[in-house]
Amino acid sequence: MGDHKEQSLRVGAAVRRRRRALELTLAVVAERSGLSVPFLSQVENDRARPSRSSLEKVADALRTTAVELLAAADPACSVDVVRCESTEPAPEPQVRSLVRGHHQMHASEFTGDHDAGREFQYRNDQLMYVADGAVEIEAEGRAYRLGRGDTLYLTGGVRHRWRAAEPDTRVLVVAVAEHIEAVHDKPR
């Protein structure tokens, strides 16, 4: 028995993301596809599963294909275990993805130090958790020192940089995926 099992896909979120990216209302998509607004709303909220024919009509209305919508769909129910490759501390800095695939959340584990001069800015929110060691973070003109068990929450758009302050530091970074429109772009 494997650690990963694929289930049916929820296409509604992909339809909603595409419609919003094109700045279309449900009424416009309904008119273009010949489907009703209530039905499209149910599809977007995963309360109705469109037939292949209906999905193709929606895809045409959104100037894409049914295949593309299915590829961008979220798994309805999935379980995925990401096993640790090694329990030995790595001699050099490493990054390990903790979530595989195209999901609403990204999570990475950083072990050791990395380029402290590199500035990060993510579109959506993120959480940093120090599993071992300590980190120094500069965000919004302020400096923070986090120790084992501490967390720092950053809203989307916050520029920041960080570095390991102790050897064998391990930091977990969890973020809302970039393909999810969790926040609106801020005017510059």
Side-chain angles (χ1 to χ4, degrees):
M1 185 172 177
D3 291 331
H4 182 71
K5 182 174 181 182
E6 287 296 328
Q7 297 284 330
S8 63
L9 298 175
R10 296 181 312 187
V11 74
V15 170
R16 184 182 316 107
R17 284 191 298 268
R18 177 69 180 173
R19 178 180 62 80
R20 287 181 176 168
L22 295 173
E23 298 180 350
L24 299 175
T25 64
L26 280 172
V28 169
V29 176
E31 182 180 318
R32 288 182 180 179
S33 66
L35 301 170
S36 71
V37 170
F39 175 71
L40 291 171
S41 177
Q42 288 178 339
V43 168
E44 283 193 1
N45 290 296
D46 290 312
R47 290 193 303 264
R49 292 191 66 193
S51 66
R52 181 168 180 85
S53 171
S54 293
L55 185 59
E56 288 173 358
K57 289 177 184 178
V58 170
D60 288 344
L62 296 174
R63 296 185 179 101
T64 188
T65 66
V67 171
E68 288 294 322
L69 289 175
L70 289 170
D74 298 329
C77 297
S78 67
V79 175
D80 189 14
V81 175
V82 178
R83 301 266 183 214
C84 181
E85 298 287 324
S86 170
T87 57
E88 297 296 317
E92 296 193 21
Q94 293 187 338
V95 179
R96 179 171 73 104
S97 180
L98 302 175
V99 178
R100 286 186 279 236
H102 191 72
H103 296 286
Q104 296 181 14
M105 179 182 74
H106 287 279
S108 299
E109 175 187 58
F110 293 84
T111 305
D113 207 353
H114 73 281
D115 183 2
R118 182 172 175 209
E119 184 174 72
F120 298 91
Q121 181 182 29
Y122 298 101
R123 176 182 169 97
N124 294 327
D125 298 356
Q126 78 170 23
L127 175 85
M128 295 178 75
Y129 171 77
V130 180
D132 289 309
V135 296
E136 292 174 350
I137 302 167
E138 180 187 321
E140 293 296 306
R142 294 185 59 192
Y144 303 89
R145 183 177 173 93
L146 296 149
R148 185 174 188 264
D150 291 342
T151 61
L152 178 77
Y153 183 83
L154 301 161
T155 59
V158 171
R159 293 181 187 277
H160 61 284
R161 65 183 90 232
W162 63 277
R163 70 174 196 86
E166 296 178 4
D168 299 325
T169 292
R170 200 164 49 103
V171 178
L172 306 180
V173 177
V174 180
V176 175
E178 291 291 312
H179 71 276
I180 304 296
E181 294 189 33
V183 296
H184 296 288
D185 286 328
K186 296 175 186 173
R188 294 188 185 231

